[in-house]
Amino acid sequence: MADKLIIFDTTLRDGEQSPGASMTRDEKLRIARQLERLKVDVIEAGFAASSNGDFEAVQLIANSIKDSTICSLSRANDRDIARAAEALKGANRARIHTFIATSPLHMEKKLRMTPEQVLEQAKQSVRFARNLVGDIEFSPEDGYRSEVDFLCRVIEAVINEGATTINVPDTVGYAVPELYGQFLKTLRERVPNSDKAIWSVHCHNDLGMAVANSLAGVMIGGARQVECTINGLGERAGNCSLEEVVMAVKTRKDYFNLEVGIDTQHIVAASRMVSQTTGFVVQPNKAVVGANAFAHASGIHQDGVLKARDTYEIMRAEDVGWSANKIVLGKLSGRNAFKQRLQDLGVSLESEADTNAAFTRFKELADRKSEIFDEDILALVSDESVHGQSDQYHFVSLAQHSETGERPHASVVFTVDGKEVKGEADGNGPVDASLKAIESHVKSGAEMVLYSVNAISGSTESQGEVTVRLQNSGRVVNGVGADPDIVVASAKAYLSALNKLQSKADRVAAQG
Ligand code: KIV
Ligand code: ZN
């Protein structure tokens, strides 16, 4: 029988560490629900000791998700581990993932600890964690750049203390496939008790090889767990992408001969949800989930696919959840149809009041746009600038004037803590004028480090989805806004980013 490959998703932890990708508790729960629908085996829900917000998010997810194991990251110290265990109390199946760096560089320069001290701390932490939770994962951070002899000693010791999964991170994305696979193989051969744990791969994508390295770790190194994120979200160039690893293993079952439990039909919805929540747009030519991944533009290819799909298609678009841009709802659609569509898309709103508010926004949109696609509905429910309950700023309305040869002018009405205000400004273009109009009132002083517009469903009739990335006092946040009018979408995105800047930043860096 084929071995099972465990899919460990860390979108909500390592993915969230990507600058500007931080998510609210409710956004995390929504994504966790989608991961459960995907049948992800383990969800790393956060790093409970890093902030009260992260603790609450891990707790909420642990209490709500029933089918996946819920995991919290934790540094290798008793306080972090106890906090993780506390947050995970309500989980059906809980895992603590504890880590400490083992490379000479990290031990000397970052931890300022000797190898013997690191070994002792790793042992003591796993022992402590094992008394709280049965399922313990240990990661030697920067494992791939660690000395093999020392790493073998650490891994043997933590397995003796009760670690059930050993994860070997390529923290800085330095590995190449064959060498990483061989590295894992060597470790497994040299650690005497290696058969007492499941081995796992965790690869970053700095050289664009995270997926290839992970698969080499599986095939050459014998790993049976892959750590990955939706859309490959993660710090710097990101992590190994879940959809690519899963579809590689499924499509090339002849080679990998492994079972994965993922329900692939939910992949595209998960990708959109993560992209719309974080503001990290998916590149069109991204494998599996990019808008062009299944589009055949050349005449020769189109002809071939029409005659027999497998001439140019190795996977079926439907199998990963692509539906041909269907018009799903319109102006006359009722509340029940809307609710049903939300359910089909895997969106569960927390209360009846939230559903009513979303339905009102849907009706407003349907008045302005005759065809409503799934993408519109997803944008509508993740449009925080309109409905984030605790947010300081809410968009109300916008007027702008632009004409060739004249300097555009905009006035924007929005609320600040419930009180309506109006800002006015000129700018280089209507978007610039609108954002300056908001800024004339807010005076955040934030620096804009990214502005991008994306057509949600492909044509000029579609809604524009805007991402604005702001930086202020060392914090980076992304705001997302959607509207058929891209100037309005830009104003919403700007307000959404300002709201995120307002929220408290008391997080401890995971690799700090
Ligand atoms: O990349 C890394 O080393 C990590 C660990 C904390 C597992 O994310
Ligand atoms: Zn990582």
Side-chain angles (χ1 to χ4, degrees):
M1 217 179 86
D3 279 0
K4 167 152 182 160
L5 184 64
I6 298 167
I7 301 297
F8 175 114
D9 180 277
T10 182
T11 307
L12 300 175
R13 197 281 297 172
D14 219 351
E16 204 212 13
Q17 278 174 221
S18 181
S22 67
M23 298 168 234
T24 64
R25 214 182 50 156
D26 291 346
E27 287 169 341
K28 285 188 170 187
L29 179 60
R30 197 184 309 153
I31 291 174
R33 290 217 156 101
Q34 184 64 17
L35 295 173
E36 184 182 38
R37 222 167 272 124
L38 265 176
K39 298 198 181 357
V40 158
D41 299 290
V42 186
I43 299 174
E44 190 162 51
F47 172 17
S50 70
S51 70
N52 289 337
D54 244 39
F55 178 89
E56 284 167 13
V58 175
Q59 190 173 50
L60 181 67
I61 292 169
N63 290 339
S64 314
I65 300 295
K66 295 299 160 212
D67 296 342
S68 309
T69 296
I70 306 302
C71 170
S72 171
L73 185 71
S74 155
R75 286 168 300 194
N77 66 60
D78 293 1
R79 191 197 87 88
D80 269 30
I81 292 168
R83 195 88 177 127
E86 178 69 25
L88 291 168
K89 259 192 182 144
N92 263 1
R93 284 189 301 276
R95 172 181 296 189
I96 292 179
H97 175 193
T98 188
F99 74 97
I100 189 164
T102 51
S103 67
L105 191 62
H106 278 226
M107 288 191 293
E108 191 196 325
K109 302 279 187 237
K110 186 180 82 167
L111 298 177
R112 297 187 198 286
M113 287 168 78
T114 64
E116 291 312 309
Q117 286 171 324
V118 167
L119 174 64
E120 271 318 301
Q121 192 160 326
K123 279 165 56 178
Q124 135 74 20
S125 304
V126 171
R127 192 180 315 142
F128 182 73
R130 190 57 203 254
N131 283 328
L132 302 174
V133 169
D135 183 350
I136 305 297
E137 174 169 332
F138 175 80
S139 286
E141 190 194 356
D142 205 16
Y144 182 64
R145 294 194 301 173
S146 303
E147 281 167 1
V148 176
D149 288 349
F150 176 63
L151 196 51
C152 286
R153 284 178 65 209
V154 173
I155 293 174
E156 180 183 356
V158 294
I159 295 176
N160 278 336
E161 296 293 346
T164 41
T165 299
I166 298 296
N167 181 44
V168 183
D170 176 23
T171 303
V172 292
Y174 182 67
V176 291
E178 199 180 339
L179 297 182
Y180 181 70
Q182 286 297 344
F183 187 69
L184 246 93
K185 185 166 186 276
T186 304
L187 293 175
R188 285 184 60 235
E189 283 168 0
R190 289 188 41 188
V191 170
N193 51 3
S194 64
D195 60 332
K196 304 273 179 314
I198 289 173
W199 288 68
S200 166
V201 287
H202 178 111
C203 298
H204 281 265
N205 201 34
D206 298 66
L207 293 172
M209 292 190 279
V211 172
N213 287 338
S214 302
L215 291 173
V218 169
M219 290 308 279
I220 305 172
R224 288 297 175 262
Q225 174 177 284
V226 175
E227 303 203 349
C228 45
T229 60
I230 302 290
N231 300 336
L233 185 72
E235 270 183 304
R236 307 184 306 276
N239 284 62
C240 169
S241 133
L242 179 145
E243 57 280 4
E244 293 179 22
V245 158
V246 166
M247 290 317 290
V249 172
K250 287 219 170 214
T251 307
R252 295 305 310 270
K253 176 112 203 275
D254 59 317
Y255 173 68
F256 290 104
N257 192 25
L258 290 166
E259 291 299 335
V260 268
I262 297 295
D263 184 349
T264 60
Q265 297 201 1
H266 297 290
I267 283 180
V268 168
S271 162
R272 287 200 186 130
M273 193 181 281
V274 169
S275 156
Q276 287 182 332
T277 307
T278 58
F280 278 69
V281 175
V282 174
Q283 78 198 52
N285 58 335
K286 164 93 171 60
V288 185
V289 293
N292 286 355
F294 292 88
H296 297 270
S298 106
I300 298 172
H301 285 203
Q302 277 177 356
D303 182 53
V305 169
L306 287 176
K307 286 179 178 142
R309 317 176 57 132
D310 51 2
T311 47
Y312 287 102
E313 270 185 16
I314 58 162
M315 304 171 260
R316 294 181 344 145
E318 309 85 278
D319 291 348
V320 294
W322 283 106
S323 56
N325 256 357
K326 273 194 306 233
I327 303 165
V328 290
L329 294 174
K331 206 173 161 152
L332 299 177
S333 307
R335 204 166 170 287
N336 282 343
F338 177 69
K339 264 178 94 170
Q340 183 59 46
R341 199 60 214 155
L342 283 180
Q343 222 175 49
D344 295 346
L345 288 170
V347 177
S348 47
L349 296 174
E350 292 307 301
S351 65
E352 205 50 23
D354 286 347
T355 309
N356 289 341
F359 183 61
T360 307
R361 291 197 304 281
F362 158 71
K363 280 290 186 192
E364 283 164 8
L365 183 63
D367 271 341
R368 301 162 64 202
K369 189 172 182 289
S370 53
E371 302 168 334
I372 306 281
F373 300 101
D374 285 346
E375 291 82 349
D376 294 311
I377 298 172
L378 287 170
L380 193 112
V381 291
S382 59
D383 193 348
E384 280 296 314
S385 64
V386 185
H387 63 99
Q389 308 278 312
S390 55
D391 288 345
Q392 186 173 22
Y393 305 111
H394 288 258
F395 175 81
V396 178
S397 65
L398 179 151
Q400 57 88 9
H401 178 82
S402 61
E403 206 175 314
T404 310
E406 276 189 21
R407 197 162 160 76
H409 181 84
S411 69
V412 184
V413 180
F414 56 104
T415 57
V416 184
D417 295 326
K419 205 170 141 263
E420 214 162 275
V421 296
K422 184 176 179 177
E424 302 218 27
D426 289 347
N428 286 344
V431 170
D432 188 45
S434 302
L435 305 195
K436 283 189 171 132
I438 295 172
E439 194 57 29
S440 72
H441 195 92
V442 174
K443 297 190 177 21
S444 74
E447 181 196 350
M448 188 179 302
V449 287
L450 177 118
Y451 171 81
S452 87
V453 190
N454 187 29
I456 289 184
S457 48
S459 77
T460 51
E461 281 185 1
S462 83
Q463 292 199 85
E465 184 173 63
V466 173
T467 302
V468 164
R469 185 173 300 160
L470 296 182
Q471 183 170 350
N472 206 0
S473 315
R475 283 193 79 199
V476 181
V477 294
N478 279 338
V480 186
D483 198 274
D485 178 335
I486 61 158
V487 185
V488 172
S490 304
K492 287 180 178 176
Y494 195 75
L495 290 171
S496 144
L498 289 176
N499 281 326
K500 288 191 177 167
L501 273 181
Q502 288 306 109
S503 64
K504 281 206 187 71
D506 57 352
R507 180 183 300 258
V508 174
Q511 277 103 331

